[in-house]
Amino acid sequence: MKKLFLVAFVVFSLVAFAATLKVGAVLPMTGGISAFGQMAWEGIQVAYELKPTVAGHEVKLILIDNRSEKTEAANAVARATDKEHVVGIIGQIASSHSLAGGAVAEKKHVPMISPTSTNPLVTQGKKYISRACFIDPFQGGAAAVFAFKKLGVKNVVAFTDVEQDYSVGLTNYFIKAFKKFGGKVRQVFYKTGDQDFTAQVSIALKYHPDAIYITGYYPEAALISRQARQLGFKGYILGGDGFDAPELIKIGGEAVDGAYFTTHYNANGAATELSKKFVKMYKEKYGKPPSAFAALAFDAYLILADSLERALSKNPELVNDLQGLREALAKEIRNTKNFEGASGYITINENGDAVKSVVVAVVRVNAPTDKQFDFAGIVNPEEIPF
Ligand code: PHE
């Protein structure tokens, strides 16, 4: 009888104690880069299937759309924090959105982990913002290594989207590394939403480049590629992780065939045991291979959940202290060491940045869907000249 009472008591206190931990996902579900938000959300849902509870508490995902806009990116973080009372946020996707939203998160002391924002300023000088991906000095450097050393490219025209922190930064880091190798780079500029690039392409072609390097996002990159081919450009088309969406091919068609771009992950070059499991689960659920954005968002959720678990196992009482738990979570995210993710083993350094290899993919327009972005190489941190 006594025993039964004890069991009942334990069960009762466990049930009473189990809380719901809200985790925000602030993503561009509509607007210009919605393809990336959709893919990230799919990745998060697969991760959630693997880990729906943390330290015995149920996790509840709260999805908030930033509409691919900077102002909304900031509003969404405020809403997640003050109205939804989330313990932490997964987001955002574009660097400009993570910068706008990150300023709010930092002020409100709520941890945010970006799956894919690569601009260095996103985490710089911040305590609460981290990321599951590498940063652009490294991505731009890797593009320079690949272009110069693997493709033998010497003369490049870079196309920079002046409205995107991501594009401006990436171009600059590429130029720095490429010039160190002895290569030549000129720049032309455009803006998000532009449709006609014939003026920039005409200027670019006057320099007779071996390659054009487009550091913006897929909608404009695909159109620039088309117009460059229409105007007779025969050289290499190069890009960054802004290329990594099937829409690049939908908009660009044959023009993007053979383009190379740097990115975070390639489903054909699975990095860990968990990558294989992730690819399988994702394909079963969505009937298509996962993109880098899905993989990184999957990783961001798991890093957040694992960090939350470490925080709560050190101090279970924090479950009743939302702000205390946020503080502990922000610290634990930065204690992530050798964490097995779908995109590889992830260590987050003291700046909040993940240190990882860069993957190079090549576009094969006429290949079966899961080979259209094929694995073309890898560049490791040691190979970058700064
Ligand atoms: N690394 C890119 C960035 O920081 C990620 C991205 C690519 C976001 C493409 C949106 C679209 O902005």
Side-chain angles (χ1 to χ4, degrees), residues 31-109:
I33 53 162
S34 57
F36 290 76
Q38 305 285 351
M39 294 188 290
W41 179 235
E42 290 166 357
I44 291 170
Q45 284 169 292
V46 175
Y48 183 78
E49 263 178 39
L50 281 183
K51 202 167 171 54
T53 62
V54 163
H57 306 290
E58 176 208 5
V59 176
K60 189 166 176 215
L61 287 170
I62 310 284
L63 173 64
I64 304 182
D65 181 11
N66 68 21
R67 305 207 297 245
S68 302
E69 285 168 15
K70 289 184 203 176
T71 332
E72 274 311 302
N75 291 342
V77 170
R79 181 141 43 99
T81 311
D82 301 335
K83 295 237 167 69
E84 298 288 351
H85 307 291
V86 300
V87 57
I89 295 172
I90 302 165
Q92 302 187 19
I93 299 298
S95 289
S96 53
H97 301 158
S98 290
L99 280 164
V104 178
E106 185 73 13
K107 208 162 99 204
K108 293 185 182 286
H109 292 199

Side-chain angles (χ1 to χ4, degrees), residues 33 36 93-96 116-119 136 139 166 217-218 241-243 264 293:
I33 53 162
F36 290 76
I93 299 298
S95 289
S96 53
T116 60
S117 291
T118 46
N119 187 283
D136 285 333
Q139 175 167 211
Y166 158 69
Y217 299 133
Y218 64 90
D241 59 334
F243 274 39
H264 308 268
F293 289 81

